[in-house]
Amino acid sequence: MDLHLAVSTSGDIAASLYRQLLAAVRDGRLMSGERLPSTRELAQSLNLSRGTVASAYERLAAEGILETRHGSGTYIPAHVTPSRARCAPSGERVAPRSVWSELPPYVPDPVDIDVDLAGGEPDPSLFPLATWRRLVSETLRPSLMATSPYAGTSHPALQDAIAAYLGRSRSVVAQGDDIILTNGSQQAFDLVARVLVSPGDRVAVESPGYTSLVRLWVSHGARVTGVPVDDDGLVVDALPDDARVVYVTPSHQFPTGVVMSLPRRIALLEWAASHGAVVVEDDYDSEFRYQDRPLEPLQSLDWDGYVVYTGSFSKILSPVLRVGYLVAPASLQPALRRAKQLTDWQGDLATQGALARFIADGDLAAQLRRTTRTYAERRATLLTALADVDELEVVPSVAGLRLATRFRDSSVDDLAVCAAAAGRGVGVEPLSTRYVGGDARPGLVLGFGRIDADLIPVAVSRLTSAIREG
């Protein structure tokens, strides 16, 4: 045990030691079940007599704060729990900015489910663990433990690998030096907000859309406006004229899955150029494509320097890796790198080094081929099962790990349906909560990344019962 104890050389030393140990228990610094040093060990470490320490221990034991187990040692009993915490509420002397009390919590209450159709996360059982373990082991050399030679946002090998990968797979125009590494896409968005958004600035987002990101914009003081999405993607004509930033998911819109048409993409770029706005393009999990060739990303169509392209490996490999990236216009790169250094300095070099090898050796391409086949089977199974659910209309989608559906009856309460489904052991996500202002349309968002194909018909059957039985 390593516990700071300040021992006075005057007064009742045993009483002082008793009070400090009692305070440590009450504060939670010493927890139930924890073993204390023996009286001999603690006396030696504090340069006290063993009798002084024994006196303090005996007093605590008499009060039930300590217990001695013959042949084992001295412990905090299981019934002893902290009675107060130093960080407990203490009035209104200190308080966060008001926005933090206004933002709703992100993590929902846990529910007991058997089959999960919520979310769009990749299947952890498909992660290439053996290959990854080998690459991390080879990367973890003594030289890596020394002071990093990388300047905060840089890992040259990984930057080059990502630039080459994006150029081949997504036609993104970038060199290695253009890649700014982040800890996932969420940090990438935070850096953009730090660099571009001042309190009161307008940020336009898709509605329905990525509501977790809305909270991030709001935390930076932005005024967020939801812009409707139709079958061609974001409705450019509905953009507010004073928008400083426009956030879009054109490859397959989150959460509906629709693809922004080429005319709409060109219209958005023209709008950004005429209004001096920055377009943040989130190209999340577009690698999982099941039909049609992908359209060019906005970044490759942008000749004027208004698009910030973002992506990560959370969806295609694992959220645990926390590796994302930004491809920004040259005018924004110095500020974005500085913001990264100020908030985080650098990422996990072992993970970054392993990922650089994983991409360069062709393992990422092979992994995507394998997993796409698996996800395509699950997607097809889900579509077949949903064909018998007359109450739902599936929104056409060609990529990703989710399918969005809309209720044909717009009066349906999709939150109530999700609660009823959870009661049957099925996790699903309501569509209506993804709208940002305006009229929300009820529906369900169904993820198939983490569910085996043979469980999908069972899950949809239970979901159908939840819809029809209320």
Side-chain angles (χ1 to χ4, degrees), residues 410-426:
S410 60
S411 66
V412 172
D413 184 347
D414 57 0
L415 277 76
V417 170
C418 290
R424 290 167 169 81
V426 179

Side-chain angles (χ1 to χ4, degrees), residues 95-280:
R97 290 167 48 216
S98 60
V99 66
W100 293 105
S101 60
E102 297 166 0
L103 290 172
Y106 170 66
V107 180
D109 294 332
V111 294
D112 185 16
I113 58 174
D114 298 323
V115 286
D116 192 6
L117 285 174
E121 302 299 325
D123 189 339
S125 69
L126 300 179
F127 185 78
L129 190 58
T131 300
W132 189 260
R133 183 185 292 117
R134 172 179 59 79
L135 292 174
V136 170
S137 178
E138 293 173 357
T139 303
L140 277 172
R141 302 299 186 190
S143 59
L144 192 68
M145 303 298 112
T147 301
S148 169
Y150 305 122
T153 59
S154 300
H155 187 304
L158 180 56
Q159 290 173 287
D160 290 343
I162 291 175
Y165 163 70
L166 293 177
R168 291 191 304 268
S169 66
R170 297 295 292 124
S171 298
V172 169
V173 182
Q175 302 298 317
D177 290 344
D178 297 319
I179 305 296
I180 299 174
L181 301 175
T182 63
N183 288 322
S185 291
Q186 197 72 7
Q187 186 183 52
F189 303 139
D190 184 69
L191 296 180
V192 171
R194 290 174 182 273
V195 167
L196 291 175
V197 177
S198 298
D201 281 351
R202 179 85 61 188
V203 173
V205 300
E206 298 166 322
S207 181
Y210 186 19
T211 47
S212 297
L213 186 54
V214 171
R215 299 184 182 101
L216 187 148
W217 299 122
V218 170
S219 74
H220 283 279
R223 295 177 296 152
V224 179
T225 298
V227 180
V229 173
D230 62 18
D231 292 342
D232 287 320
L234 182 84
V235 179
V236 176
D237 291 342
L239 284 168
D241 288 336
D242 61 343
R244 167 72 166 153
V245 175
V246 181
Y247 170 81
V248 290
T249 51
S251 294
H252 64 117
Q253 198 271 334
F254 180 91
T256 66
V258 301
V259 177
M260 182 182 287
S261 67
L262 183 58
R264 193 70 63 84
R265 294 176 189 230
I266 294 173
L268 176 58
L269 292 174
E270 291 176 345
W271 184 94
S274 64
H275 289 76
V278 172
V279 176
V280 178

Side-chain angles (χ1 to χ4, degrees), residues 155-408:
H155 187 304
L158 180 56
Q159 290 173 287
D160 290 343
I162 291 175
Y165 163 70
L166 293 177
R168 291 191 304 268
S169 66
R170 297 295 292 124
S171 298
V172 169
V173 182
Q175 302 298 317
D177 290 344
D178 297 319
I179 305 296
I180 299 174
L181 301 175
T182 63
N183 288 322
S185 291
Q186 197 72 7
Q187 186 183 52
F189 303 139
D190 184 69
L191 296 180
V192 171
R194 290 174 182 273
V195 167
L196 291 175
V197 177
S198 298
D201 281 351
R202 179 85 61 188
V203 173
V205 300
E206 298 166 322
S207 181
Y210 186 19
T211 47
S212 297
L213 186 54
V214 171
R215 299 184 182 101
L216 187 148
W217 299 122
V218 170
S219 74
H220 283 279
R223 295 177 296 152
V224 179
T225 298
V227 180
V229 173
D230 62 18
D231 292 342
D232 287 320
L234 182 84
V235 179
V236 176
D237 291 342
L239 284 168
D241 288 336
D242 61 343
R244 167 72 166 153
V245 175
V246 181
Y247 170 81
V248 290
T249 51
S251 294
H252 64 117
Q253 198 271 334
F254 180 91
T256 66
V258 301
V259 177
M260 182 182 287
S261 67
L262 183 58
R264 193 70 63 84
R265 294 176 189 230
I266 294 173
L268 176 58
L269 292 174
E270 291 176 345
W271 184 94
S274 64
H275 289 76
V278 172
V279 176
V280 178
E281 178 179 15
D282 184 1
D283 203 16
Y284 77 103
D285 74 5
S286 62
E287 289 84 354
F288 300 124
R289 182 162 294 274
Y290 311 107
Q291 61 191 66
D292 301 336
R293 290 181 57 83
L295 293 174
E296 298 293 301
L298 293 169
Q299 193 271 352
S300 66
L301 299 172
D302 175 32
W303 290 89
D304 299 313
Y306 288 99
V307 173
V308 175
Y309 181 90
T310 68
S312 81
F313 295 89
S314 296
K315 299 293 187 184
I316 59 177
L317 287 175
S318 171
V320 174
L321 298 184
R322 307 309 305 150
V323 179
Y325 50 85
L326 286 164
V327 182
S331 59
L332 296 179
Q333 289 182 20
L336 288 168
R337 289 195 177 91
R338 184 60 176 151
K340 176 67 166 65
Q341 292 169 339
L342 288 174
T343 57
D344 190 34
W345 186 247
Q346 70 183 33
D348 179 347
L349 298 182
T351 297
Q352 292 178 351
L355 182 57
R357 285 276 308 279
F358 191 77
I359 298 172
D361 292 351
D363 293 317
L364 177 61
Q367 172 72 4
L368 286 173
R369 287 192 296 269
R370 287 192 297 268
T371 53
T372 299
R373 286 194 296 268
T374 299
Y375 294 137
E377 178 190 2
R378 296 177 183 179
R379 177 178 178 272
T381 303
L382 180 57
L383 284 170
T384 299
L386 290 173
D388 295 327
V389 186
D390 296 334
E391 293 84 353
L392 293 174
E393 172 192 4
V394 178
V395 180
S397 174
V398 298
L401 298 176
R402 300 169 180 250
L403 287 174
T405 66
R406 299 189 181 101
F407 281 102
R408 299 183 191 278

